[in-house]
Amino acid sequence: ELQKLKISTKNGGLSKETFNLNENESFHHDETLSPKFSSQNCLGNTDGNINFSDHKNEINFKIFNEVGISAPMLNFQRDKFNSYFLRLLTSFQENNDIKNNFDNKVFENLISIKINR
């Protein structure tokens, strides 16, 4: 149910924070803000768990951060057929106002996705 959609994740504290989507039909964490900033925002990922749910169904993303910490982002939108599209993206390198040199680094990530109905 669109009006009950929420995202839960840890943002640095001991307990999860929950964000209600309030019937938003789309949001795009991966849209660029400007040529200087490559994304608008991302989710907290303290323990690697992100939950996307509507009280009946849920999708649990577990991002294993043993190799490196990535910035998780969601893309959620309604399409022209009245269906919904959800994508989890992770990024190890974002363009921002601080220059870092990652040219020779190899990054990898393991993600587990569990769907409960």
Side-chain angles (χ1 to χ4, degrees), residues 3-30:
Q3 64 272 14
K4 294 182 181 179
L5 279 178
K6 62 184 178 178
I7 298 171
S8 300
T9 188
K10 285 188 180 178
N11 285 313
L14 297 175
S15 58
K16 283 188 175 188
E17 294 182 45
T18 300
F19 305 94
N20 294 312
L21 300 182
N22 298 323
E23 298 188 38
N24 285 325
E25 291 190 357
S26 65
F27 59 88
H28 310 276
H29 287 172
D30 57 328

Side-chain angles (χ1 to χ4, degrees), residues 14-76:
L14 297 175
S15 58
K16 283 188 175 188
E17 294 182 45
T18 300
F19 305 94
N20 294 312
L21 300 182
N22 298 323
E23 298 188 38
N24 285 325
E25 291 190 357
S26 65
F27 59 88
H28 310 276
H29 287 172
D30 57 328
E31 283 185 353
T32 58
L33 186 59
S34 73
K36 195 173 184 180
F37 300 95
S38 56
S39 67
Q40 293 188 21
N41 47 101
C42 67
L43 296 168
N45 191 22
T46 304
D47 65 355
N49 293 302
I50 299 168
N51 177 271
F52 189 79
S53 66
D54 70 354
H55 298 294
K56 287 192 261 180
N57 303 299
E58 65 181 354
I59 302 173
N60 292 300
F61 299 101
K62 171 65 178 163
I63 302 170
F64 297 90
N65 293 321
E66 285 79 11
V67 178
I69 304 295
S70 63
M73 297 174 268
L74 288 175
N75 183 320
F76 178 73

